Amino acid sequence: MTKQFFLPPLAAGLGGVALFLSSTVSAYDRLGPINITAARSAPLPAPAMPETVITRAEIERSQADSLATLLRGRAGVTMTNLGGAGKPTNISLWGQSASRTAVFLDGVRIGSVSAGQTFLEHIPLAQIERIEIVRGARSGQWGADAGGGVIQIFTREGSADGTRVSGGVGAGSRGQREADWHVGGRQEAVDYSLGIAHRETDGFDACINDPTSACYADEPDSDGYVNDSAQGQLGYRFGDGGHVRGHFLASSSDVEYDGFTNESSVEQATFGLSAATGRVDFWQLRARIGRHLDYQDNFGDGSLISRFDTRRDTLSLAGDFFLGPHTTLTLGADQTRDELSSTTAFEQTERDNQAIFGQLNSQLGDLGVQLALRRDFNEQFGTANTGSLDLAYALTDAWTLTAGHGTAFIAPSFNLLYYPPVYNGYTGSYDAYSNPDLEPERTRTTRGGVQWQGKAVSVEAHVFQTDGDDLIRTGLNPINLDETRVRGAELVLSYASDDWHARFDSTYLSTEDRASGDQLVRQPRWSGRLDIDRRLGAWSVGGSLWGQSRSEGGPYAPDNDGFVTADLRGSYRFARHWRVEARVENLFDRDYQPVYGYYAAPRGVFVGLRYGR
C-alpha cells in the first residue's frame, strides 16, 4: 500500500522562547543579513555563523571547471577525489564524512539513497548562481545528515529587468571541450531562467596500475568524462513577500574508471515547487515540495554489472510568526521518503522520515540569537531530538563575537546496512561492506569565534569541538565507533577593492577515535588555499595555491601524502560583453595522489571565449 505524506500536528515547543521579543535593535544593520541556509529561509537575518558564500561573480573570476575545484581548500572543507573529472568526489565539513554533510539544491534535499551522500561531481558549475556553506551541527534546522554542516546550491536565476544572455565555449589539454548558454530576466512580476551546458574531457589514467591495491586493476588508459545538463526556473512574485516558483536541474553523465567496474552512466534530476503567502498581519505561510532522482548504471568492459535507481521525495510546510520588529518564530513540519530500486538485492528498499521543528531568530540590541529545535520520526530508527543555539554579539561596528552549540542525527545508508557480501577473487571468500546492526550516528558540536569587518579587509576565526557517538567506520566490515572527537580551528582573511580580490582560507583538524587513539580516515591535519586576483583595465590576472598535509588511509590502505599545487589564470575583455580567458592548472606539473592510488591531473592549459551581459 502506498504511503501518503503525513504532517503531524505541531507542538508548541517554543512558546517560552517568545520572551526574546525585542524593541530597539542597534546592531541589526551592523550585523547584516545572513545567508538563506543559516536562517532556514526565515525572513530575518540569523546571527553570524561559520559560513562561506560563493557568488556567481566569484565562480566566473576563479575560472573553476567543477565544484571540486571551486570548493577545495575552503575554510572547514576537506575533499577527496578519485581520479579527476566526474570521478567520486567526497566533500566533508569540520572533519565529518561526506555522509554527514546535508546537501540541498534550491531548497530540495538531494543525494543518493543507496550511497547516503551526494555525488557533487555531476552538478555542473555552469548552472550555479550561488553556493552557501554553513558549518557545524545543523540537524535542528535541516534534519538528518547535517552533522558537519549544510551545503546549499542555488541554480541560475533571472534577477535583472529585461532579458540577459550569457555563454561561452572553451577547449584545452586532455581533449577538454565545454560550452554553455544561459538566458534569464524579469518582466514585471515574472522572472525566468533557462540554461544548457556541455562538458567533455578525455581525462588521464585515474588509478595506479596495481592489481593488488587501490582500483585492483591494471588498465593504463585515459579515463574520460562527459556531462550534459539543463536548468530552468520560473517564478511569480506578489505583494509582501509572496511568491510561487518552479525549478529543475537535470544532468546526464558518462564516466570512465579503472577497475572491475570501469564505466558508469549517471542520470540526476531535481525538481521543486515552492510558494509563500504574502505577509498577512503578523504571519506568513511557506511550502515546498521536491523530488530528486539519482540513477546509476555500472558497466565492466561494456557489460552491465549493477544498477542503482534512487528517488527522494520531500515536502515541507512552515509558518513564520513576526513577534516584533526583529524577531521571527518559525514552526513547521516536513517529510522525506527514500526509495531504492536495484539489480542488487537489498533487504530494505524504502524509508520514511517525518519531523516537526521550530526556530526563533531575534536581534536583542547588540545580541543576535537563533534557537532551533527538531523532533524526527524515522520509520527505521525511531525518534531523534536535535537542536542548536547560536549567538553573535557586536562589540563594536567592526568586531563581533560568536558562539554556538548544536546536535545532529545521521541514519546509516542502505548500502551500509544491506549491501550484499562481495566475492574476493584473491582470498576465495566474501567480503562484507555492510552491517545491518549499525546504529545511527549522533554528534555534538560546540564552537566559538570572532569576526572583524573593515572597509576592505575582513578577518574571521573559529574554534570548534565535535564529539561523536556511534560514528561509522566505513569500508571492509563497517562498525560503529564508540566515541570520536574532532577539534579544529579555521581562519579566513580576505581583501576586496575595485581592482583587487584576495582570500586566504586555512583549516586545522585534530581527529581521534577515542577507543584506539587512531586518527579518522582522510582528514588532513592542515588544509587551505590562497586566491589572488588583480584587474588591470581590460586585463585581469590571478592565481591560486591549494594544499593539505598527510592524512590517515585507514585500517586497510596506506596513508595519503601531503601536497601543494598552483594554478594561474587571466582574461582580456576586448569588447563590452566579450572576453577571452586562459588558465594553467597544476602549474609546476606536480605528480601527487590526493588519495593513495588515485592520480591528480597533470599540468593542463585551457582557453575560452565568453559573452555576458
Side-chain angles (χ1 to χ4, degrees):
M1 177 174 152
T2 302
K3 297 184 180 179
Q4 303 296 322
F5 282 114
F6 170 65
L7 296 179
L10 283 176
L14 295 184
V17 298
L19 296 175
F20 281 115
L21 277 166
S22 58
S23 53
T24 302
V25 183
S26 61
Y28 177 79
D29 295 326
R30 183 160 72 245
L31 292 175
I34 202 74
N35 65 52
I36 295 169
T37 305
R40 205 189 193 279
S41 303
L44 185 75
M49 298 179 189
E51 58 168 336
T52 299
V53 178
I54 304 173
T55 64
R56 184 68 204 172
E58 186 173 352
I59 293 172
E60 294 187 355
R61 186 169 61 246
S62 73
Q63 295 190 36
D65 62 352
S66 67
L67 264 175
T69 305
L70 182 70
L71 297 182
R72 63 188 185 184
R74 302 273 179 174
V77 177
T78 53
M79 189 190 73
T80 61
N81 171 262
L82 306 185
K87 310 307 183 289
T89 301
N90 295 335
I91 293 177
S92 59
L93 304 178
W94 276 8
Q96 304 302 308
S97 70
S99 63
R100 299 179 210 118
T101 301
V103 182
F104 294 81
L105 183 72
D106 291 324
V108 176
R109 182 184 289 270
I110 64 175
S112 166
V113 170
S114 57
Q117 65 184 71
T118 302
F119 297 129
L120 292 171
E121 60 268 24
H122 303 308
I123 297 178
L125 200 56
Q127 311 287 18
I128 295 175
E129 180 75 24
R130 174 184 173 94
I131 301 170
E132 299 178 350
I133 304 171
V134 181
R135 298 178 289 283
R138 294 284 146 209
S139 284
Q141 295 169 293
W142 290 100
D145 307 334
V150 176
I151 298 175
Q152 181 149 207
I153 301 165
F154 297 89
T155 56
R156 302 284 293 274
E157 58 185 19
S159 57
D161 291 335
T163 298
R164 296 196 175 187
V165 178
S166 63
V169 294
S173 300
R174 299 182 291 277
Q176 180 158 321
R177 290 87 74 192
E178 56 188 38
D180 65 89
W181 173 86
H182 176 262
V183 60
R186 185 169 58 193
Q187 302 291 338
E188 297 181 347
V190 177
D191 63 87
Y192 55 92
S193 170
L194 180 65
I196 57 175
H198 172 81
R199 183 187 177 206
E200 182 174 358
T201 177
D202 295 339
F204 51 90
D205 198 5
C207 188
I208 62 174
N209 297 300
D210 184 352
T212 64
S213 67
C215 298
Y216 298 97
D218 186 2
E219 297 182 20
D221 61 351
S222 295
D223 298 299
Y225 178 64
V226 180
N227 178 282
D228 293 299
S229 63
Q231 170 268 333
Q233 287 197 30
L234 181 63
Y236 177 78
R237 295 167 288 108
F238 49 92
D240 295 323
H243 77 269
V244 177
R245 178 173 300 278
H247 61 86
F248 78 91
L249 172 65
S251 69
S252 175
S253 303
D254 290 314
V255 195
E256 295 177 348
Y257 305 94
D258 289 332
F260 175 69
T261 298
N262 53 23
E263 185 179 356
S264 292
S265 174
V266 182
E267 309 283 340
Q268 291 185 342
T270 304
F271 307 91
L273 179 65
S274 64
T277 65
R279 180 168 173 172
V280 180
D281 195 13
F282 66 93
W283 76 285
Q284 74 172 22
L285 186 65
R286 293 182 283 119
R288 183 184 301 276
I289 187 169
R291 169 169 289 181
H292 177 73
L293 305 175
D294 189 294
Y295 296 164
Q296 181 167 328
D297 291 349
N298 301 309
F299 301 89
D301 297 327
S303 299
L304 180 68
I305 293 177
S306 60
R307 174 180 293 121
F308 298 89
D309 294 346
T310 76
R311 187 177 81 184
R312 171 167 286 162
D313 290 328
T314 54
L315 174 66
S316 177
L317 184 67
D320 301 308
F321 299 87
F322 306 101
L323 305 181
H326 304 301
T327 298
T328 299
L329 175 66
T330 299
L331 298 174
D334 62 36
Q335 171 160 321
T336 301
R337 179 171 177 79
D338 294 339
E339 295 184 359
L340 165 65
S341 175
S342 175
T343 55
T344 301
F346 287 79
E347 291 183 18
Q348 299 287 336
T349 58
E350 60 182 47
R351 182 165 65 194
D352 284 352
N353 191 96
Q354 298 150 358
I356 55 175
F357 59 86
Q359 176 180 287
L360 180 80
N361 288 345
S362 186
Q363 296 284 348
L364 307 173
D366 291 330
L367 179 65
V369 179
Q370 183 187 89
L371 174 64
L373 298 173
R374 181 181 175 95
R375 183 174 179 86
D376 283 271
F377 306 87
N378 188 279
E379 181 181 24
Q380 192 169 16
F381 295 103
T383 60
N385 299 318
T386 53
S388 59
L389 174 64
D390 293 281
L391 306 172
Y393 183 74
L395 289 173
T396 67
D397 287 346
W399 288 94
T400 302
L401 297 179
T402 68
H405 180 81
T407 60
F409 160 81
I410 303 97
S413 68
F414 286 105
N415 279 4
L416 282 173
L417 289 167
Y418 306 121
Y419 198 91
V422 177
Y423 181 74
N424 187 325
Y426 292 99
T427 64
S429 60
Y430 285 85
D431 293 335
Y433 292 92
S434 66
N435 180 353
D437 296 324
L438 290 173
E439 295 291 331
E441 303 173 308
R442 300 177 187 271
T443 65
R444 305 174 303 281
T445 300
T446 302
R447 64 171 181 88
V450 60
Q451 300 177 7
W452 181 81
Q453 180 65 61
K455 184 177 181 180
V457 179
S458 66
V459 181
E460 185 174 343
H462 300 277
V463 296
F464 58 89
Q465 176 173 302
T466 299
D467 292 302
D469 295 328
D470 294 323
L471 265 60
I472 298 171
R473 189 196 69 195
T474 60
L476 186 62
N477 301 315
I479 59 171
N480 288 105
L481 302 176
D482 288 338
E483 294 182 48
T484 61
R485 173 167 289 174
V486 177
R487 287 175 171 163
E490 60 182 31
L491 174 67
V492 179
L493 309 175
S494 64
Y495 174 82
S497 67
D498 290 340
D499 297 325
W500 284 93
H501 287 88
R503 180 182 170 109
F504 172 71
D505 293 69
S506 181
T507 305
Y508 169 81
L509 293 175
S510 175
T511 67
E512 181 185 14
D513 172 358
R514 304 198 72 190
S516 65
D518 294 335
Q519 295 181 25
L520 300 184
V521 173
R522 297 182 181 177
Q523 297 295 340
R525 184 150 296 206
W526 291 98
S527 63
R529 67 183 286 163
L530 173 66
D531 297 281
I532 300 177
D533 290 273
R534 173 76 192 277
R535 188 174 65 182
L536 301 164
W539 294 87
S540 67
V541 294
S544 298
L545 287 174
W546 172 61
Q548 62 187 43
S549 61
R550 65 164 293 279
S551 62
E552 184 77 19
Y556 307 106
D559 290 346
N560 310 300
D561 292 334
F563 59 87
V564 176
T565 186
D567 302 332
L568 286 181
R569 55 184 170 268
S571 69
Y572 174 68
R573 186 175 294 275
F574 61 89
R576 183 180 179 186
H577 302 304
W578 291 91
R579 69 182 185 272
V580 176
E581 298 180 336
R583 70 180 187 274
V584 181
E585 297 178 354
N586 195 356
L587 176 65
F588 301 109
D589 202 21
R590 177 72 186 274
D591 184 11
Y592 67 98
Q593 299 174 14
V595 175
Y596 175 81
Y598 297 90
Y599 294 119
R603 180 167 51 218
V605 179
F606 306 89
V607 295
L609 175 67
R610 296 207 63 81
Y611 173 85
R613 70 181 190 87

